[in-house]
Amino acid sequence: EAQVTQNPRYLITVTGKKLTVTCSQNMNHEYMSWYRQDPGLGLRQIYYSMNVEVTDKGDVPEGYKVSRKEKRNFPLILESPSPNQTSLYFCASSRTADMNTEAFFGQGTRLTVV
Amino acid sequence: AQSVTQLDSHVSVSEGTPVLLRCNYSSSYSPSLFWYVQHPNKGLQLLLKYTSAATLVKGINGFEAEFKKSETSFHLTKPSAHMSDAAEYFCVVSDQNDKIIFGKGTRLHILP
């Protein structure tokens, strides 16, 4: 089954404690991206990756890092989480960066930073 | 600059009545436009997309949307709402550089 898998689904952590949210897709997609969803703001892109070893900042990259060492995985790293990073995070992948191709989304990771 | 505005943050309709979710966009170029749906505790799912072919686009679950360039609109409609349609809906625009922008979402409530 074609899918994008995020882990964990729920996470509560303390300020400053480094964490990683994993994202994996099994569709051999080139393009992957991370979004955060906040009430009244819709989804905002954090980082995206056009292919292996190619990443770039989205609209709200501050406080986040990503890596793309292999095609299927695109982890999101918060080196020193802060309460304003409490949010719902989605990973997405698509065959190419061309938006004519459908994006597939993971089920989301709800992060709370206290 | 690209932008997308969903005109209603919440819409409530009775089951069996028509649904209208409004979306306006601004774009310097011919955009691609999409509607995604997010059910509670689920990821986003593509409902339909417009990519400069037919202006009336049919999607899944009986939804459709019409691209109206003169009105810069891409409203989502369904003739008869079902309880399972209760969800949040996002209008999305992409530009010629494939940068995508999400609207802030419209939560659809279905009344029994």
Side-chain angles (χ1 to χ4, degrees), chain B residues 34-88:
Chain B
F34 309 78
W35 277 99
Y36 279 83
V37 60
Q38 182 182 26
H39 287 94
N41 299 314
K42 295 285 179 65
L44 284 82
Q45 180 185 20
L46 180 66
L47 269 181
L48 50 81
K49 62 182 179 183
Y50 165 77
T51 55
S52 75
T55 56
L56 182 62
V57 182
K58 294 188 184 300
I60 62 173
N61 301 336
F63 284 93
E64 60 183 41
E66 186 172 7
F67 174 69
K68 291 187 177 180
K69 187 174 182 179
S70 60
E71 299 176 11
T72 61
S73 69
F74 190 58
H75 301 333
L76 182 70
T77 61
K78 183 173 180 177
S80 176
H82 190 272
M83 293 301 290
S84 61
D85 295 327
E88 188 154 22

Side-chain angles (χ1 to χ4, degrees), chain A residues 62-78:
Chain A
E62 293 78 20
Y64 304 95
K65 284 174 54 177
V66 293
S67 69
R68 188 91 181 271
K69 292 185 170 57
E70 40 185 354
K71 204 169 190 179
R72 63 182 292 126
N73 295 324
F74 190 46
L76 179 70
I77 303 155
L78 285 71

Side-chain angles (χ1 to χ4, degrees), chain A residues 87-107:
Chain A
S87 188
L88 178 59
Y89 291 86
F90 287 100
C91 178
S93 76
S94 56
R95 186 168 50 81
T96 69
D98 181 354
M99 268 298 281
N100 290 330
T101 60
E102 179 180 352
F104 292 81
F105 286 80
Q107 291 199 299

Side-chain angles (χ1 to χ4, degrees), chain A residues 21-83:
Chain A
V21 184
T22 63
C23 174
S24 179
Q25 50 93 5
N26 62 0
M27 296 167 279
N28 201 37
H29 283 170
E30 290 182 353
Y31 185 85
M32 297 184 74
S33 57
W34 276 102
Y35 297 87
R36 61 178 289 173
Q37 182 180 15
D38 302 290
L41 296 177
L43 275 78
R44 294 177 293 169
Q45 192 177 51
I46 302 170
Y47 268 94
Y48 63 94
S49 170
M50 305 282 277
N51 214 322
V52 176
E53 301 292 2
V54 181
T55 63
D56 210 344
K57 295 177 180 178
D59 296 316
V60 287
E62 293 78 20
Y64 304 95
K65 284 174 54 177
V66 293
S67 69
R68 188 91 181 271
K69 292 185 170 57
E70 40 185 354
K71 204 169 190 179
R72 63 182 292 126
N73 295 324
F74 190 46
L76 179 70
I77 303 155
L78 285 71
E79 294 271 3
S80 182
S82 61

Side-chain angles (χ1 to χ4, degrees), chain B:
Chain B
Q2 309 286 109
S3 69
V4 58
T5 302
Q6 291 184 242
L7 295 154
D8 308 291
S9 58
H10 292 266
V11 169
S12 296
V13 302
S14 297
E15 190 174 20
T17 65
V19 175
L20 170 64
L21 304 183
R22 298 183 294 167
C23 174
N24 285 95
Y25 70 92
S26 71
S27 173
S28 304
Y29 299 88
S30 294
S32 294
L33 294 155
F34 309 78
W35 277 99
Y36 279 83
V37 60
Q38 182 182 26
H39 287 94
N41 299 314
K42 295 285 179 65
L44 284 82
Q45 180 185 20
L46 180 66
L47 269 181
L48 50 81
K49 62 182 179 183
Y50 165 77
T51 55
S52 75
T55 56
L56 182 62
V57 182
K58 294 188 184 300
I60 62 173
N61 301 336
F63 284 93
E64 60 183 41
E66 186 172 7
F67 174 69
K68 291 187 177 180
K69 187 174 182 179
S70 60
E71 299 176 11
T72 61
S73 69
F74 190 58
H75 301 333
L76 182 70
T77 61
K78 183 173 180 177
S80 176
H82 190 272
M83 293 301 290
S84 61
D85 295 327
E88 188 154 22
Y89 293 79
F90 292 94
C91 183
V92 181
V93 63
S94 75
D95 65 10
Q96 76 285 5
N97 297 316
D98 294 318
K99 181 172 176 57
I100 63 172
I101 300 169
F102 281 77
K104 294 183 179 181
T106 298
R107 188 168 293 281
L108 177 63
H109 305 271
I110 310 296
L111 308 171

